[in-house]
Amino acid sequence: MKMYDLIVKKRNGEELSTDEINYFIHGYTKGDIPDYQASALMMAIYFQKMNMRETVDLTKAMINSGDTLNLSKIQGIKVDKHSTGGVGDTTSLVLTPMVAALGIPVAKMSGRGLGHTGGTIDKLESFNGFSVEISEKQFINNVNNIKLAIMGQTADLVPADKKLYALRDVTGTVENLSLISSSIMSKKIASGADCIVLDVKVGDGAFMKNYEQAEKLASTMVDIGERLGRKTVAVISDMDQPLGFAVGNALEVKEAIHTLKGNGPKDLLELCLTIGSNMVFLAKKAESVEQAREMLLGTIEDGSAIKKLREFITAQGGDVNQLDNTDLLPRARYIVPVKSDRSGYISKIYAQNIGLAAMELGAGRATKGDKVDLAVGIVLNKKRGDSVNTGDILAYIHSNDEGNIDIAQKRILENYIISQEKASDIPLIYNIIRK
Ligand code: URA
Ligand code: CA
């Protein structure tokens, strides 16, 4: 087999065989196939696309490029969730203790933030001493003992995706349905859960800017999951404004704690209940999604969810005094209000630019190696549909550097769109895709 022939075949719009896909993934992971040939193939796939059979084969080949996590030592049906990435998306921190509090094992691998989107691991490191670098053995023990563990993705899990994603990122070939879905699903399946609930974001702050694209991505990923033996459901949810109020690591941890104590933002809670009820139902702990939702609400009301978060933070070395008193979490030196210069209704908050503004304050990474400042970020005070008067506070900037406050202020004002008429409502949950 020759890589040249595969490139020409795909360039001409033909289908690649299972063997050819395996040949490419194997050879590229080993270093036998150079980046320039791999990028030519990625570009050919970008233009000519892949059918479902090729997409599933690609996912399988990527899973087989490295180790997979064996969770068979964990009792019960293991569930996992994955978000395609958003701004201020604190769901994992809220949702995983709620689901675990119902006795369902949650064994989760999470990532770090990049660009305008945040990552669960960075957020958790707001707790002094908290570590995601636990061994596989400890990971499994923790899930058996307390039903919840979160670790970073190990280096040998889907090595093909690490190389390919980095290559796609610099060759303009990220935005292809088959490439995105195989990248996400290979990692999810290799991490070993029996059931997967996907949160596919749609809107300005998401990968998928419109509903049609998001639905295609959701149904492709559900299809891949089911064909590879995992119960898979996708929730399509709004990312046209940040989720909740807080955008930034420790700020989001604080928001998650408030939510678990029953005082969280409505949209964040609603999304957690929607994703969570599907997780509970797939884990066969409820007769219906509606019943699962009531059970999840119960974990907030009876305090078992916040207690679960406490156990989880303790088990991974974190300081729970910061949970009991959130003032002990990392705090920024300057907290500056951003005031509206006009009155009207908030018709739009550009999520991606708010995410980028938080990143510039230090809450996120422009490139992979950057260090994040856990304390900083933006806390929204007004959201879409709210009315404002001149001088009302739209948001607060949390910064550790006096020098970057002016630019953040300008960015926030530019990205809050205020109109004279109240815009029509955008749903938080667009659809739920099941097989
Ligand atoms: N997230 C991933 O993990 N992979 C992609 O290709 C896109 C988003
Ligand atoms: Ca938030």
Side-chain angles (χ1 to χ4, degrees), residues 211-265:
Y211 176 76
E212 286 68 33
Q213 286 178 333
E215 195 195 79
K216 270 196 193 141
L217 179 64
S219 59
T220 304
M221 291 197 293
V222 169
D223 214 358
I224 294 174
E226 294 283 338
R227 285 183 197 220
L228 296 180
R230 310 300 161 108
K231 287 258 163 290
T232 311
V233 170
V235 172
I236 302 179
S237 74
D238 173 52
M239 191 27 78
D240 218 38
Q241 68 173 344
L243 188 67
F245 296 107
V247 182
N249 299 287
L251 296 167
E252 289 186 47
V253 168
K254 201 167 161 180
E255 183 167 79
I257 292 169
H258 288 319
T259 307
L260 288 171
K261 288 183 174 168
N263 308 311

Side-chain angles (χ1 to χ4, degrees), residues 171-381:
T171 55
T173 51
V174 168
E175 295 92 345
N176 170 273
L177 200 62
S178 295
L179 297 177
I180 297 176
S181 35
S182 58
S183 163
I184 293 173
M185 291 307 288
S186 60
K187 287 174 284 194
K188 283 288 111 180
I189 291 169
S191 339
D194 306 302
C195 315
I196 302 161
V197 180
L198 301 160
D199 179 15
V200 177
K201 307 280 193 192
V202 56
D204 174 72
F207 250 112
M208 297 295 157
K209 306 291 181 199
N210 67 54
Y211 176 76
E212 286 68 33
Q213 286 178 333
E215 195 195 79
K216 270 196 193 141
L217 179 64
S219 59
T220 304
M221 291 197 293
V222 169
D223 214 358
I224 294 174
E226 294 283 338
R227 285 183 197 220
L228 296 180
R230 310 300 161 108
K231 287 258 163 290
T232 311
V233 170
V235 172
I236 302 179
S237 74
D238 173 52
M239 191 27 78
D240 218 38
Q241 68 173 344
L243 188 67
F245 296 107
V247 182
N249 299 287
L251 296 167
E252 289 186 47
V253 168
K254 201 167 161 180
E255 183 167 79
I257 292 169
H258 288 319
T259 307
L260 288 171
K261 288 183 174 168
N263 308 311
K266 246 175 43 200
D267 58 345
L268 174 60
L269 177 63
E270 180 56 34
L271 183 60
C272 289
L273 291 172
T274 305
I275 299 170
S277 56
N278 280 285
M279 292 170 77
V280 173
F281 182 65
L282 287 182
K284 297 198 164 76
K285 285 276 181 180
E287 308 272 311
S288 65
V289 174
E290 294 70 30
Q291 189 195 15
R293 193 185 162 92
E294 291 308 310
M295 291 161 69
L296 286 168
L297 273 172
T299 67
I300 293 180
E301 282 155 16
D302 68 10
S304 58
I306 189 79
K307 191 164 156 252
K308 187 56 68 184
L309 180 66
R310 215 169 183 285
E311 282 174 7
F312 158 65
I313 299 297
T314 307
Q316 294 193 214
D319 177 5
V320 279
N321 289 318
Q322 294 172 291
L323 190 153
D324 301 329
N325 177 5
T326 54
D327 287 343
L328 298 176
L329 286 163
R331 282 207 292 178
R333 206 168 309 142
Y334 308 100
I335 301 175
V336 183
V338 181
K339 292 184 180 160
S340 182
D341 54 6
R342 72 200 77 174
S343 40
Y345 294 94
I346 314 284
S347 58
K348 192 163 176 59
I349 305 170
Y350 284 102
Q352 179 160 341
N353 287 340
I354 297 293
L356 289 173
M359 184 192 85
E360 285 171 357
L361 287 166
R365 296 181 181 82
T367 55
K368 241 180 179 164
D370 292 354
K371 212 172 134 27
V372 298
D373 183 340
L374 296 168
V376 304
I378 296 165
V379 178
L380 310 184
N381 192 50

